[in-house]
Structure formats: structure tokens, C-alpha cells
CSV table of all heavy atoms in Angstrom, one decimal:
chain,number,residue,atom,x,y,z
Y,1,GLY,N,0.8,-1.2,0.0
Y,1,GLY,CA,0.0,0.0,0.0
Y,1,GLY,C,0.8,1.3,0.0
Y,1,GLY,O,0.2,2.4,-0.1
Y,2,ASN,N,2.1,1.1,0.1
Y,2,ASN,CA,3.0,2.3,0.1
Y,2,ASN,C,3.8,2.4,-1.2
Y,2,ASN,O,4.0,1.4,-1.9
Y,2,ASN,CB,4.0,2.2,1.3
Y,2,ASN,CG,3.2,2.4,2.6
Y,2,ASN,OD1,2.1,2.7,2.7
Y,2,ASN,ND2,4.0,2.2,3.7
Y,3,GLN,N,4.4,3.6,-1.4
Y,3,GLN,CA,5.3,3.8,-2.5
Y,3,GLN,C,6.7,3.3,-2.2
Y,3,GLN,O,7.0,3.2,-1.0
Y,3,GLN,CB,5.3,5.3,-2.9
Y,3,GLN,CG,4.1,5.8,-3.5
Y,3,GLN,CD,4.2,7.2,-4.0
Y,3,GLN,OE1,5.0,8.0,-3.5
Y,3,GLN,NE2,3.4,7.6,-5.0
Y,4,ARG,N,7.4,2.9,-3.2
Y,4,ARG,CA,8.8,2.6,-3.0
Y,4,ARG,C,9.6,3.8,-2.5
Y,4,ARG,O,9.4,4.9,-3.0
Y,4,ARG,CB,9.4,2.1,-4.3
Y,4,ARG,CG,10.8,1.4,-4.1
Y,4,ARG,CD,11.2,0.8,-5.4
Y,4,ARG,NE,10.3,-0.3,-5.8
Y,4,ARG,CZ,10.6,-1.2,-6.8
Y,4,ARG,NH1,11.8,-1.1,-7.5
Y,4,ARG,NH2,9.8,-2.1,-7.2
Y,5,GLU,N,10.4,3.6,-1.5
Y,5,GLU,CA,11.1,4.7,-0.8
Y,5,GLU,C,12.6,4.3,-0.7
Y,5,GLU,O,12.9,3.2,-0.5
Y,5,GLU,CB,10.5,5.0,0.5
Y,5,GLU,CG,10.6,3.9,1.5
Y,5,GLU,CD,9.9,4.3,2.9
Y,5,GLU,OE1,9.3,5.3,3.0
Y,5,GLU,OE2,10.1,3.5,3.8
Y,6,LEU,N,13.4,5.4,-0.7
Y,6,LEU,CA,14.8,5.2,-0.5
Y,6,LEU,C,15.1,4.9,0.9
Y,6,LEU,O,14.6,5.5,1.8
Y,6,LEU,CB,15.6,6.4,-1.0
Y,6,LEU,CG,17.1,6.4,-0.7
Y,6,LEU,CD1,17.8,5.4,-1.6
Y,6,LEU,CD2,17.7,7.8,-0.9
Y,7,VAL,N,15.9,3.9,1.2
Y,7,VAL,CA,16.3,3.6,2.5
Y,7,VAL,C,17.8,4.1,2.7
Y,7,VAL,O,18.0,4.8,3.7
Y,7,VAL,CB,16.3,2.0,2.7
Y,7,VAL,CG1,16.9,1.7,4.1
Y,7,VAL,CG2,14.9,1.4,2.5
Y,8,ALA,N,18.7,3.7,1.9
Y,8,ALA,CA,20.1,4.2,2.0
Y,8,ALA,C,20.7,4.1,0.7
Y,8,ALA,O,20.4,3.3,-0.2
Y,8,ALA,CB,20.8,3.4,3.0
Y,9,SER,N,21.7,4.9,0.4
Y,9,SER,CA,22.4,4.9,-0.8
Y,9,SER,C,23.9,5.2,-0.5
Y,9,SER,O,24.3,5.9,0.5
Y,9,SER,CB,21.9,5.8,-1.9
Y,9,SER,OG,22.0,7.2,-1.4
Y,10,THR,N,24.8,4.8,-1.5
Y,10,THR,CA,26.2,5.1,-1.4
Y,10,THR,C,26.7,5.4,-2.8
Y,10,THR,O,26.4,4.7,-3.7
Y,10,THR,CB,27.0,4.0,-0.7
Y,10,THR,OG1,28.4,4.3,-0.7
Y,10,THR,CG2,26.8,2.7,-1.5
Y,11,THR,N,27.5,6.5,-2.9
Y,11,THR,CA,28.1,6.8,-4.2
Y,11,THR,C,29.4,6.1,-4.3
Y,11,THR,O,30.0,5.6,-3.3
Y,11,THR,CB,28.3,8.3,-4.4
Y,11,THR,OG1,29.4,8.7,-3.4
Y,11,THR,CG2,27.0,9.1,-4.1
Y,12,MET,N,29.9,6.0,-5.5
Y,12,MET,CA,31.2,5.3,-5.6
Y,12,MET,C,32.4,6.2,-5.0
Y,12,MET,O,33.5,5.7,-4.7
Y,12,MET,CB,31.5,5.1,-7.1
Y,12,MET,CG,30.6,4.1,-7.8
Y,12,MET,SD,30.5,2.5,-6.9
Y,12,MET,CE,29.0,2.6,-6.0
Y,13,GLY,N,32.0,7.4,-4.7
Y,13,GLY,CA,33.0,8.3,-4.0
Y,13,GLY,C,32.9,8.1,-2.5
Y,13,GLY,O,33.7,8.7,-1.8
Y,14,GLY,N,32.0,7.4,-2.0
Y,14,GLY,CA,31.9,7.1,-0.6
Y,14,GLY,C,30.9,7.9,0.2
Y,14,GLY,O,30.7,7.7,1.4
Y,15,ASN,N,30.2,8.8,-0.5
Y,15,ASN,CA,29.1,9.5,0.2
Y,15,ASN,C,27.9,8.6,0.4
Y,15,ASN,O,27.5,7.9,-0.5
Y,15,ASN,CB,28.7,10.7,-0.7
Y,15,ASN,CG,29.8,11.7,-0.8
Y,15,ASN,OD1,30.5,12.0,0.1
Y,15,ASN,ND2,30.0,12.3,-2.0
Y,16,THR,N,27.3,8.7,1.6
Y,16,THR,CA,26.2,7.9,2.0
Y,16,THR,C,25.0,8.8,2.3
Y,16,THR,O,25.1,9.9,2.7
Y,16,THR,CB,26.5,7.0,3.1
Y,16,THR,OG1,26.9,7.7,4.3
Y,16,THR,CG2,27.6,6.0,2.8
Y,17,ASN,N,23.8,8.3,2.2
Y,17,ASN,CA,22.6,8.9,2.5
Y,17,ASN,C,21.6,8.0,3.0
Y,17,ASN,O,21.5,6.8,2.6
Y,17,ASN,CB,22.0,9.6,1.2
Y,17,ASN,CG,20.8,10.4,1.4
Y,17,ASN,OD1,20.7,11.2,2.4
Y,17,ASN,ND2,19.8,10.2,0.6
Y,18,TYR,N,20.9,8.4,4.1
Y,18,TYR,CA,20.0,7.5,4.8
Y,18,TYR,C,18.6,8.2,5.0
Y,18,TYR,O,18.5,9.4,5.2
Y,18,TYR,CB,20.5,7.1,6.2
Y,18,TYR,CG,21.7,6.3,6.2
Y,18,TYR,CD1,23.0,6.9,6.3
Y,18,TYR,CD2,21.6,4.9,6.2
Y,18,TYR,CE1,24.1,6.1,6.2
Y,18,TYR,CE2,22.8,4.1,6.2
Y,18,TYR,CZ,24.0,4.7,6.2
Y,18,TYR,OH,25.2,4.0,6.2
Y,19,GLN,N,17.6,7.4,4.9
Y,19,GLN,CA,16.2,7.9,5.3
Y,19,GLN,C,16.3,8.1,6.8
Y,19,GLN,O,16.9,7.4,7.5
Y,19,GLN,CB,15.2,6.8,5.0
Y,19,GLN,CG,13.8,7.2,5.3
Y,19,GLN,CD,12.9,6.0,5.1
Y,19,GLN,OE1,12.3,5.5,6.2
Y,19,GLN,NE2,12.6,5.5,4.0
Y,20,ASP,N,15.6,9.2,7.2
Y,20,ASP,CA,15.7,9.5,8.6
Y,20,ASP,C,15.3,8.4,9.6
Y,20,ASP,O,15.9,8.3,10.7
Y,20,ASP,CB,14.7,10.8,8.9
Y,20,ASP,CG,15.4,12.1,8.4
Y,20,ASP,OD1,16.6,12.1,8.0
Y,20,ASP,OD2,14.6,13.1,8.3
Y,21,SER,N,14.3,7.7,9.2
Y,21,SER,CA,13.8,6.6,10.1
Y,21,SER,C,14.8,5.5,10.3
Y,21,SER,O,14.6,4.7,11.3
Y,21,SER,CB,12.5,6.0,9.6
Y,21,SER,OG,12.7,5.3,8.4
Y,22,VAL,N,15.9,5.4,9.5
Y,22,VAL,CA,16.8,4.3,9.7
Y,22,VAL,C,18.1,4.8,10.2
Y,22,VAL,O,19.0,3.9,10.5
Y,22,VAL,CB,16.9,3.5,8.4
Y,22,VAL,CG1,15.6,3.0,7.9
Y,22,VAL,CG2,17.7,4.2,7.3
Y,23,LYS,N,18.3,6.0,10.3
Y,23,LYS,CA,19.6,6.6,10.7
Y,23,LYS,C,19.9,6.1,12.2
Y,23,LYS,O,19.1,6.1,13.0
Y,23,LYS,CB,19.6,8.1,10.8
Y,23,LYS,CG,19.6,8.7,9.4
Y,23,LYS,CD,19.6,10.2,9.5
Y,23,LYS,CE,19.6,10.9,8.1
Y,23,LYS,NZ,19.6,12.4,8.1
Y,24,GLY,N,21.2,5.6,12.3
Y,24,GLY,CA,21.6,5.1,13.6
Y,24,GLY,C,21.3,3.6,13.7
Y,24,GLY,O,21.8,3.0,14.6
Y,25,ARG,N,20.5,3.1,12.9
Y,25,ARG,CA,20.1,1.6,12.9
Y,25,ARG,C,20.7,0.8,11.7
Y,25,ARG,O,21.1,-0.3,11.9
Y,25,ARG,CB,18.6,1.4,13.0
Y,25,ARG,CG,18.0,2.1,14.2
Y,25,ARG,CD,16.5,1.7,14.3
Y,25,ARG,NE,15.7,2.2,13.2
Y,25,ARG,CZ,15.0,1.3,12.5
Y,25,ARG,NH1,15.0,0.0,12.7
Y,25,ARG,NH2,14.2,1.8,11.5
Y,26,PHE,N,20.6,1.4,10.5
Y,26,PHE,CA,21.1,0.8,9.3
Y,26,PHE,C,22.4,1.3,8.9
Y,26,PHE,O,22.7,2.5,9.1
Y,26,PHE,CB,20.1,1.0,8.2
Y,26,PHE,CG,18.7,0.3,8.4
Y,26,PHE,CD1,18.4,-0.3,9.6
Y,26,PHE,CD2,17.8,0.2,7.4
Y,26,PHE,CE1,17.2,-1.0,9.8
Y,26,PHE,CE2,16.6,-0.4,7.5
Y,26,PHE,CZ,16.2,-1.0,8.7
Y,27,THR,N,23.2,0.5,8.3
Y,27,THR,CA,24.5,0.9,7.7
Y,27,THR,C,24.7,0.4,6.3
Y,27,THR,O,24.6,-0.9,6.2
Y,27,THR,CB,25.7,0.5,8.6
Y,27,THR,OG1,25.5,1.1,9.9
Y,27,THR,CG2,27.0,1.1,8.0
Y,28,ILE,N,24.9,1.2,5.4
Y,28,ILE,CA,25.2,0.8,4.0
Y,28,ILE,C,26.7,0.8,3.8
Y,28,ILE,O,27.4,1.7,4.2
Y,28,ILE,CB,24.5,1.6,2.9
Y,28,ILE,CG1,24.6,1.0,1.5
Y,28,ILE,CG2,25.0,3.1,2.9
Y,28,ILE,CD1,23.7,1.6,0.5
Y,29,SER,N,27.2,-0.3,3.2
Y,29,SER,CA,28.6,-0.4,2.9
Y,29,SER,C,28.8,-1.1,1.6
Y,29,SER,O,27.9,-1.7,1.1
Y,29,SER,CB,29.3,-1.1,4.1
Y,29,SER,OG,28.8,-2.4,4.2
Y,30,ARG,N,30.0,-1.1,1.1
Y,30,ARG,CA,30.3,-1.8,-0.2
Y,30,ARG,C,31.6,-2.4,-0.2
Y,30,ARG,O,32.6,-2.0,0.5
Y,30,ARG,CB,30.1,-0.8,-1.3
Y,30,ARG,CG,31.2,0.2,-1.4
Y,30,ARG,CD,30.9,1.2,-2.6
Y,30,ARG,NE,32.0,2.0,-2.9
Y,30,ARG,CZ,32.4,3.1,-2.3
Y,30,ARG,NH1,31.7,3.5,-1.2
Y,30,ARG,NH2,33.5,3.7,-2.6
């Protein structure tokens, strides 16, 4: 029932971005 939403992303340069609701709980790495 919801739209697809961004959880976390990482650029090849190492910049990361998180949805506010997962900050401090989720970690994206590569």
C-alpha cells in the first residue's frame, strides 16, 4: 500500500545517504 522509498544509498565516491527513520540503525557499505 506504500510507494517505494529510498532507505540508503552510497556513491562510488563514498558519500552515503539515509532515510531519517533508519539513521543510527542501518548501515550501507560496499
Side-chain angles (χ1 to χ4, degrees):
N2 291 353
Q3 291 186 332
R4 190 172 297 188
E5 60 182 10
L6 175 68
V7 177
S9 64
T10 178
T11 69
M12 295 304 102
N15 294 319
T16 58
N17 182 44
Y18 295 91
Q19 182 189 113
D20 285 346
S21 68
V22 307
K23 287 180 179 178
R25 300 188 298 122
F26 292 9
T27 302
I28 190 168
S29 62
R30 68 183 196 278

